[in-house]
Structure formats: structure tokens, C-alpha cells
Amino acid sequence: MSYDPSAFPPFAVTVDLVVLTVRRHALCALAVRRGESPFQGRWALPGGFVRADEDLAQAAARELAEETGLHAHDASVPVQDNGAHLEQLATYGDPKRDPRMRVVSVAHLALAPDLPAPRAGGDASNARWAPVEELLQQGGYGREDEPMAPLAFDHAQILADGVERARSKIEYSSLATAFCPPEFTVGELRRVYEAVWGVALDPRNFHRKVTGTPGFLVPTGGTTTRQGGRPAQLFRAGGATLLNPPMLRPEV
Amino acid sequence: MSYDPSAFPPFAVTVDLVVLTVRRHALCALAVRRGESPFQGRWALPGGFVRADEDLAQAAARELAEETGLHAHDASVPVQDNGAHLEQLATYGDPKRDPRMRVVSVAHLALAPDLPAPRAGGDASNARWAPVEELLQQGGYGREDEPMAPLAFDHAQILADGVERARSKIEYSSLATAFCPPEFTVGELRRVYEAVWGVALDPRNFHRKVTGTPGFLVPTGGTTTRQGGRPAQLFRAGGATLLNPPMLRPEV
DNA sequence: ATCATAGTCGTCTGCCTGACGATAAACACT
DNA sequence: AGTGTTTATCGTCAGGCAGACGACTATGAT
């Protein structure tokens, strides 16, 4: 426990982001193409180095804004603008995870409503929303049938952990609303659950459940027809963050 | 995203440990007394620097062994010796959390059965099991009425996060068995839940619940009387890690 | 007008939970 | 030996919630 300098070898610390959204009924993650070695040309999660005077959450919020333009709202700020939810996911520090040097990466999870096309330094061809199954299956094919190699570094593991966190967290928290615009219908919220869990849910039981959970949804009074069919009531996310009772993910 | 060396200031990376156990019906955490500045003489969580060739989990397991003699079993090793459960908790990286230099600490959570006295470099007076409420309440009093200052650094926050993780995780996982010896009775397991949650549970409903949850408990055939009263069946932890249905923490 | 689509309200049944009575098997007394 | 105390274990019962599913409503498309 002495502070002999040889006792604490220098590390580089980065933040990596698992940014999830729901597009066209599929859970998608933001991927950027690497412009340099190692893993040049491969897809990776967005991220970057933590600056000397920066908190980890600040660094993650900064990277998120740089990559997507999203303004993250911390848990401390209850503002419900169209910012994204951002939370720490886990930290990855295998000595060999980066071949160049010792890098410890603090991964963060961001949940965002469906967004316009991403931007990565202004170059749209180097950033894309991709369905998570596509990014996680090895040897799959990406957009335009270009052969897709696995994600760079240990990013496949990080993405898998982030997806699993999101899947379990929408069970007992109101986080699914982070995938929705400020006002949304019960049907849109249901399609979020269906996309994230990859299951079909009974619209009638789902409606009863979410409208019956105190603090989950607050009706705004308005109605809308967005998908054809009977107009639906519009809701806003209620103040509750923990759902009681929780939403139950169907067995297998 | 360039690798200009000025872009990645050097960090020190440490692991801190929240080691929890249940002693005398109370949830206790391991605390060590700091021998040097800053916070000299104050209580802190055990921890230390990650070595150059070490994974984060390895570093945490090494520190745990050094402080307690416990042999941590990773999630990958299903062995149920009297090792402790060890998992990553969260990472703390406020630029000012250590006044000397930029330190990022990857906190880990360990759950252990009741143990003999702790050792901290062979000096027992510099390590103790303390009830978590005692460590978390500011200005409380420690053993032998010595006035107790708050934990060093941001360790009160880390401990609070670890306790909250343990409280919620025993709801939906079989982790409560990590607080028990290899063989235990339903009553002992119930007292673990009562200590961690700080509530009283109905023995009859608890017995029905845990014996009815598939994969949670496996009877060993033996019986024991450890607290007086009728002998109880002995159980071993079953293979299930996720409880379905979960244990429900009583409302406030 | 008719159909397709989506939303909303009800009903019914089975399961789980919490509250709690009753019995069983040990120990500590007298 | 008998009595009380403690802990373990089994049962019962009522209330609530979830899944399955029928019925009705309100819009747009043809």
C-alpha cells in the first residue's frame, strides 16, 4: 500500500458507448467505422479518451454529444427533453484488450429515441445504426451486403452486456420511455418492449398493465393516429423510475 | 480520436472492495484503517493498485485474498467451496476523488459467509467488520466508543452502492446463499434475507417460497440443530442463479 | 359501404402471496 | 417425567395479479 511510483503503472482510460435505439421494430446500436489501426476499417462502438479534468459521466456525455448531437440528461437532472438516458455500464480492463497499450474502458449505456442519421465527425458513411443481432453475430453481413467482421476490440462483449442490461432494466424501471419521444402512445411503448425483448406482447394486457402501474404514464389529454387505426391517447413519462409491480418478460 | 500522447493523460487504476457478510443478524462490511496520508487513521474500504499485467477481476480477487484469505470463485467457476462471490460493482473517477493524483477506482462487491476475524497485513487492529449502518452514518461511534469519522475518499458512496446492489440482487438471484456456509438451513437463509433487507419475514411463507423455487435449494439429506428447537433440514445451493419467481422484498 | 388496422374495456381462470392456525421435534427447566 | 420455549414444517384461506381472449370503438383505405 505504499505509493512507490512503480506500484501504479500508468493506464489510459477511455469511455465506450453502447447507444441503443429502436428503429423499424428492431433494437439498434450505434457503430462507427475505425479509421486507423488497429482494427482499421472495422466497426466499433463510439468512444474516446477521458480528459484530465473530466469526470467519467462527463466524458461519456461529451462523447455522446459528439457522435449523435444528443444532450444526455443525467439521473440528477429530471428534465425530459429529447435527451437520452445515460448510465454507467461496466468497466473492461483486460491487459490485452488493446494491442498498443494498457487501456481501461468504462463503458456507458445510452438509450435514445429514434433519431435522424448519425454523424461521426461529419462523415455519415462512418457511422450507422445497426440491429444488434447483426452486430453481434459473427461473420454476418452489413449494409449493402458488405461482409461484416466482428466488432473491434472487445466491443462485441460490451455491446452484449449493454443489451442485456437494457433488456432487464426495462422490466423493473420506466426506462423504456427513454426510447420514446416526449409524447407517445401505449402502442408505441409496447412496440419498444417488443423490439427490445424480441417477443410479441398482448396489446390488451399490456395496456391494462402500463396504465395501471402508478407513476409510469401520465396522460397528456391529446390523441393521435400515427399508424392508422383508432386514435390513441398520448402519454408522457410519469415521475416513477422504479415500476411496482414490474413488467414481466415472458418466459423464453 | 488520434493517438497523440497528450490526448490520454495517465491515470492510476485501483480496485476497491465492498466485502459484505452477515454477523450477529447484521449486515457488515470489511473496513481497514488507513496508515498514511491522506485520510490517515480513518477507516476505508480495502483496495489497491491494479498491476501492469493483471485483469481487473484478478486484481480484485488478489486484494480479497490478501485482506481476508478468501478464495474468490469467479462466475466461470461453479465450485461451491467456502469462497466468496465476487462481481464488479461500478467505477468511480471523479478528478478530485483522490487529492494526490488522478485515480480511477473499479469497485467490486464480494459476498462472504461469516468469517473469523479479518487480517490486514497481520495487524488485526487495522481491520474490522462493521455494521454497514455504522459505517454509513456520519459521526457515529465505532468499536470501543472511539469517535468514527466518515469513510475516506468517496468510500461511503461506494459502500452505499454496494449495499444497494446486494439488497436488490438477492431478490432475483440466488446470491443470498453466498452469505451462508456450504450447507445451511432454511432458517439461516431467512436470517440472511432479514439482515440484508432489515426486515422480518414470515418463517412459514419464506419456507414455502424458497423450497418451491426450482433450482434454488437442494436438500442434502442431513439435519441439524444450530439454534435450539426442532432440527432443520440441511440444504446446499442449487444450480439456479436466477430465481423464478423472485423473492419479494416487502414494501417499506 | 366494407374491410383492415389499432386502441380500449371486460371477463374468467389459475397462480402466487400474505396472514395465520396447527403440529412436530428438539432443549431447558423443575 | 412433565411443562414451557424455541424453531421447523405443513395447511388453509382470501385477495390480487397475469395470461388468454371476447367485444366494441374509431380511424383510414378500397
Coordinates of all heavy atoms in Angstrom, one line a residue, chain B residues 186 189 204-217 233 235 247, chain D residues 9-10:
Chain B
V186 N -33.0 -23.6 6.1 CA -33.9 -22.5 5.6 C -33.9 -21.4 6.6 O -33.9 -20.2 6.1 CB -35.3 -23.1 5.4 CG1 -36.3 -22.0 5.0 CG2 -35.3 -24.2 4.3
L189 N -30.9 -19.2 6.0 CA -31.0 -18.4 4.8 C -32.0 -17.2 5.1 O -31.8 -16.1 4.6 CB -31.5 -19.3 3.7 CG -31.7 -18.6 2.3 CD1 -30.3 -18.1 1.8 CD2 -32.3 -19.5 1.3
R204 N -43.0 -19.2 7.8 CA -43.8 -20.2 7.1 C -43.8 -19.9 5.6 O -43.6 -20.7 4.7 CB -45.2 -20.3 7.7 CG -45.1 -20.7 9.1 CD -46.3 -20.3 9.9 NE -46.4 -18.9 10.1 CZ -47.2 -18.3 10.9 NH1 -48.1 -19.0 11.6 NH2 -47.3 -17.0 11.0
N205 N -44.1 -18.6 5.3 CA -44.2 -18.2 3.9 C -42.8 -18.3 3.2 O -42.7 -18.7 2.0 CB -44.8 -16.8 3.7 CG -46.2 -16.8 4.1 OD1 -46.9 -17.8 4.1 ND2 -46.7 -15.6 4.5
F206 N -41.8 -17.9 4.0 CA -40.4 -18.0 3.4 C -40.0 -19.4 3.1 O -39.5 -19.7 2.0 CB -39.4 -17.4 4.5 CG -38.0 -17.3 3.9 CD1 -37.6 -16.2 3.2 CD2 -37.1 -18.3 4.2 CE1 -36.3 -16.2 2.7 CE2 -35.8 -18.3 3.7 CZ -35.4 -17.2 3.0
H207 N -40.4 -20.3 4.0 CA -40.0 -21.7 3.8 C -40.7 -22.2 2.5 O -40.1 -22.9 1.7 CB -40.5 -22.5 5.0 CG -40.0 -24.0 5.0 ND1 -40.7 -24.9 4.3 CD2 -39.0 -24.6 5.5 CE1 -40.1 -26.1 4.4 NE2 -39.0 -25.9 5.1
R208 N -42.0 -21.9 2.4 CA -42.8 -22.3 1.2 C -42.1 -21.8 0.0 O -42.0 -22.5 -1.0 CB -44.2 -21.9 1.3 CG -45.0 -22.3 0.1 CD -46.5 -21.7 0.3 NE -46.5 -20.3 0.4 CZ -47.5 -19.5 0.7 NH1 -48.7 -20.2 1.0 NH2 -47.5 -18.2 0.8
K209 N -41.7 -20.5 0.0 CA -41.2 -19.8 -1.2 C -39.9 -20.4 -1.6 O -39.7 -20.8 -2.8 CB -41.0 -18.4 -0.8 CG -40.7 -17.5 -2.0 CD -42.0 -17.3 -2.9 CE -41.6 -16.8 -4.3 NZ -41.0 -15.5 -4.2
V210 N -38.9 -20.5 -0.7 CA -37.6 -21.0 -1.2 C -37.6 -22.5 -1.5 O -36.9 -22.8 -2.5 CB -36.5 -20.7 -0.1 CG1 -36.4 -19.2 0.1 CG2 -36.8 -21.4 1.2
T211 N -38.4 -23.3 -0.8 CA -38.4 -24.7 -1.2 C -39.2 -24.9 -2.5 O -39.0 -25.9 -3.1 CB -38.9 -25.6 -0.1 OG1 -40.2 -25.1 0.3 CG2 -38.0 -25.5 1.2
G212 N -40.0 -24.0 -2.8 CA -40.8 -24.1 -4.0 C -40.2 -23.5 -5.3 O -40.7 -23.7 -6.4
T213 N -39.1 -22.7 -5.1 CA -38.5 -22.1 -6.3 C -37.5 -23.1 -6.9 O -36.5 -23.5 -6.2 CB -37.7 -20.9 -5.9 OG1 -38.7 -19.9 -5.3 CG2 -37.0 -20.2 -7.1
P214 N -37.7 -23.6 -8.1 CA -36.9 -24.6 -8.7 C -35.5 -24.2 -8.8 O -35.1 -23.1 -9.3 CB -37.6 -24.9 -10.0 CG -38.3 -23.7 -10.3 CD -38.8 -23.1 -9.0
G215 N -34.6 -25.1 -8.4 CA -33.1 -24.9 -8.6 C -32.5 -24.0 -7.5 O -31.3 -23.8 -7.5
F216 N -33.3 -23.5 -6.6 CA -32.7 -22.6 -5.5 C -31.9 -23.5 -4.5 O -30.8 -23.3 -4.2 CB -33.8 -21.8 -4.9 CG -33.3 -20.7 -4.1 CD1 -32.0 -20.3 -4.0 CD2 -34.2 -19.9 -3.4 CE1 -31.5 -19.2 -3.3 CE2 -33.8 -18.8 -2.6 CZ -32.4 -18.5 -2.6
L217 N -32.7 -24.4 -3.9 CA -32.1 -25.2 -2.8 C -32.1 -26.7 -3.2 O -33.1 -27.2 -3.8 CB -32.9 -25.0 -1.6 CG -32.9 -23.6 -1.0 CD1 -33.6 -23.5 0.3 CD2 -31.5 -23.0 -0.9
Q233 N -33.8 -29.3 8.2 CA -33.2 -29.9 7.0 C -32.0 -29.1 6.6 O -32.0 -27.8 6.6 CB -34.2 -30.0 5.9 CG -34.8 -31.3 5.7 CD -35.6 -31.3 4.4 OE1 -36.7 -30.7 4.3 NE2 -35.1 -32.0 3.4
F235 N -29.6 -27.8 3.5 CA -29.6 -27.6 2.0 C -28.3 -27.1 1.5 O -27.4 -26.6 2.3 CB -30.7 -26.6 1.7 CG -32.1 -27.1 1.9 CD1 -32.6 -26.9 3.2 CD2 -32.8 -27.7 1.0 CE1 -33.9 -27.3 3.5 CE2 -34.1 -28.1 1.2 CZ -34.7 -27.9 2.5
M247 N -37.7 -13.6 -5.1 CA -38.1 -13.2 -3.8 C -38.6 -11.8 -3.8 O -38.0 -11.0 -4.4 CB -36.9 -13.4 -2.8 CG -36.3 -14.7 -2.8 SD -37.3 -16.0 -2.1 CE -37.6 -15.4 -0.5
Chain D
dT9 P -37.3 -27.4 8.2 OP1 -36.5 -28.6 7.8 OP2 -37.0 -26.1 7.6 O5' -38.8 -27.7 8.0 C5' -39.4 -28.9 8.6 C4' -40.9 -28.9 8.5 O4' -41.5 -27.9 9.3 C3' -41.4 -28.5 7.1 O3' -42.0 -29.7 6.5 C2' -42.4 -27.4 7.3 C1' -42.7 -27.5 8.8 N1 -43.1 -26.3 9.4 C2 -44.3 -26.3 10.1 O2 -45.0 -27.2 10.2 N3 -44.6 -25.0 10.7 C4 -43.9 -23.9 10.6 O4 -44.2 -22.9 11.2 C5 -42.6 -24.0 9.9 C7 -41.7 -22.8 9.8 C6 -42.3 -25.2 9.4
dC10 P -42.6 -29.7 5.0 OP1 -42.3 -31.0 4.4 OP2 -42.3 -28.4 4.4 O5' -44.2 -29.7 5.4 C5' -44.7 -30.6 6.3 C4' -46.2 -30.3 6.5 O4' -46.3 -29.2 7.4 C3' -47.0 -30.0 5.2 O3' -48.1 -30.8 5.2 C2' -47.2 -28.5 5.3 C1' -47.3 -28.3 6.8 N1 -47.1 -26.9 7.2 C2 -47.9 -26.3 8.1 O2 -49.0 -26.9 8.5 N3 -47.7 -25.0 8.4 C4 -46.6 -24.4 8.0 N4 -46.3 -23.1 8.4 C5 -45.6 -25.1 7.1 C6 -45.9 -26.3 6.8

